[in-house]
Amino acid sequence: MTAVSAAAALLLATGCSADGGNGPAGPATGAPTRSAASSPASAAPSPSPSAPPAKGSARVVSTVAQGLKSPWGLAPLPGGDLLVSSRDEGTLTRVDAETGELTVLGEVPGVAPGGEGGLLGIALSPKFAADHLVYAYFTTESDNRIARMLYDENRPAGQQLGAPDTVLRGIPKGVVHNGGRIAFGPDGMLYAGTGETGDTGLAQDKASLGGKILRMTPDGQPVHGNPEADSVVYSYGHRNVQGLAWDGRKRLWAAEFGQNTWDELNLIQPGGNYGWPEAEGKGGGSGFIDPVAQWPVADASPSGIAFARGSVWMAGLRGERLWRIPLAGDKPSSAPQAFLEGEYGRLRTVVAAGGDRLWLVTSETDTRGTPEAGDDRVLLLEVR
């Protein structure tokens, strides 16, 4: 592993890889440490955005749950408990945030796990208190799709999920690069990060849903204000998007796997072309939007991201660390920092828990890690 200071220096000088590699192969507290608009001229200039401290911190407060198998997505429930998806088992599990007790809600019908595909990201309906709908992104025998299911916690364990109601189908599937992150934005619309499945041409093909960030209504329809009125495509030229988060100014950020050189953190613009496969990292040339930050692939392979305390926090799979990227406006305000390097293995998902807290999901049981007793885990972190 490179030292944190060296990795941070590399990041400032210049982000993304396959899921833990460069190619297609591509409640107790604590846990064991692993070895290894322009203004008129007369107007006063706008103040610069305040930046968080140059140096931050991340401390594991507790292990919320352990013994999870191939966890991928996490969604906080009203009241504090958590829902976690299992990529390979195709199940949704409720985690009691106080005791760590695990209750399987049920298996999602139609999930066909394989390679990097399976039951991936999950999100609660913006009207969950009234409609009790859980959204899921998953791989089937023919495609990747997004569906929603009624969650009835009054039914017996294992039988609490209703039949899937497909919202969007036809997202390309592959052994690798299935994307999978979904989230509802501040506008109440549903966003999804997809991958190009290893078929690089899909990323630049606006008629394909692969290699894109998608924006749709909760019913899966194109949104007024999308770049093209009849399309859910919001941005394109992506290799494999697995991280989506909004900052305090309601701007969308995305983390993306590179191939052999650079992993990326991007600030998303509607209709923006992020370069893949013609460009990887910064300096892609005219017509492409450069990443805000980038990492050597061995240091990141980013998956989930979250925004807290003025910084983007990015979970690393191959890099086995949590990155903090402090922001001032649309740029890093100081050198990114790495935390928890090698301590918990591969890190899959990070979700804001309010204030200075984050939930962090490990990913050692996804066939690419080296699981130890207790894996996989949900950790509660205190950050600044």
Side-chain angles (χ1 to χ4, degrees):
M1 293 290 182
T2 58
V4 172
S5 58
L10 280 169
L11 173 56
L12 280 188
T14 43
C16 253
S17 64
D19 186 357
N22 296 343
T29 59
T33 299
R34 297 175 181 277
S35 57
S38 59
S39 301
S42 59
S46 299
S48 299
S50 59
K55 298 295 183 181
S57 63
R59 179 179 69 89
V60 176
V61 175
S62 67
T63 297
V64 179
Q66 54 187 352
L68 295 162
K69 302 305 178 186
S70 61
W72 209 100
L74 181 146
L77 287 165
D81 287 354
L82 309 171
L83 293 185
V84 179
S85 62
S86 169
R87 186 192 72 182
D88 297 341
E89 297 185 344
T91 55
L92 284 178
T93 295
R94 181 168 182 153
V95 176
D96 187 306
E98 295 296 326
T99 67
E101 180 182 358
L102 307 179
T103 302
V104 176
L105 277 60
E107 185 174 343
V108 178
V111 174
E116 294 175 6
L119 180 56
L120 304 175
I122 56 175
L124 301 186
S125 163
K127 300 178 180 178
F128 181 81
D131 61 27
H132 305 289
L133 292 175
V134 178
Y135 285 69
Y137 182 118
F138 58 92
T139 312
T140 73
E141 294 290 352
S142 60
D143 64 359
N144 285 297
R145 63 184 59 178
I146 302 170
R148 57 191 176 192
M149 296 157 286
L150 179 66
Y151 169 32
D152 184 353
E153 61 182 288
N154 294 318
R155 294 179 59 84
Q159 304 175 35
Q160 296 177 346
L161 293 178
D165 171 25
T166 299
V167 170
L168 183 72
R169 67 180 74 235
I171 303 169
K173 63 165 284 187
V175 176
V176 296
H177 305 177
N178 288 287
R181 193 71 60 185
I182 58 174
F184 282 94
D187 56 1
M189 298 298 107
L190 179 62
Y191 293 74
T194 75
E196 33 78 306
T197 73
D199 181 353
T200 59
L202 297 183
Q204 292 293 322
D205 180 0
K206 293 184 183 179
S208 171
L209 299 179
K212 308 294 190 296
I213 292 176
L214 311 177
R215 177 177 181 250
M216 67 200 82
T217 69
D219 295 324
Q221 298 302 307
V223 183
H224 177 73
N226 276 6
E228 296 183 14
D230 60 347
S231 173
V232 297
V233 172
Y234 194 63
S235 64
Y236 66 107
H238 299 288
R239 186 169 184 259
N240 191 25
V241 177
Q242 289 191 2
L244 298 172
W246 287 262
D247 63 19
R249 295 168 62 185
K250 301 182 180 181
R251 299 176 303 178
L252 175 60
W253 297 81
E256 177 173 349
F257 290 109
Q259 184 174 34
N260 297 317
T261 311
W262 298 117
D263 291 336
E264 301 178 1
L265 177 68
N266 287 296
L267 178 58
I268 302 303
Q269 300 178 19
N273 183 349
Y274 289 81
W276 182 255
E278 282 75 16
E280 179 182 355
K282 296 183 178 180
S286 177
F288 300 141
I289 299 174
D290 278 352
V292 171
Q294 62 185 25
W295 291 258
V297 296
D299 293 346
S301 295
S303 188
I305 61 173
F307 182 81
R309 292 302 192 197
S311 299
V312 172
W313 300 81
M314 187 177 81
L317 290 163
R318 181 179 172 188
E320 297 188 355
R321 66 198 80 176
L322 178 68
W323 283 100
R324 172 188 183 259
I325 306 96
L327 299 176
D330 60 359
K331 302 292 183 184
S333 58
S334 54
Q337 291 177 273
F339 298 97
L340 310 179
E341 186 173 348
E343 293 184 30
Y344 294 91
R346 293 159 57 81
L347 305 179
R348 170 68 67 181
T349 294
V350 57
V351 175
D356 62 356
R357 301 295 175 101
L358 297 173
W359 286 292
L360 182 64
V361 180
T362 68
S363 191
E364 285 290 284
T365 60
D366 68 347
T367 74
R368 293 184 177 176
T370 52
E372 297 180 356
D375 285 331
D376 268 309
R377 312 166 193 273
V378 177
L379 308 172
L380 179 63
L381 275 58
E382 180 181 84
V383 301
R384 72 170 179 86

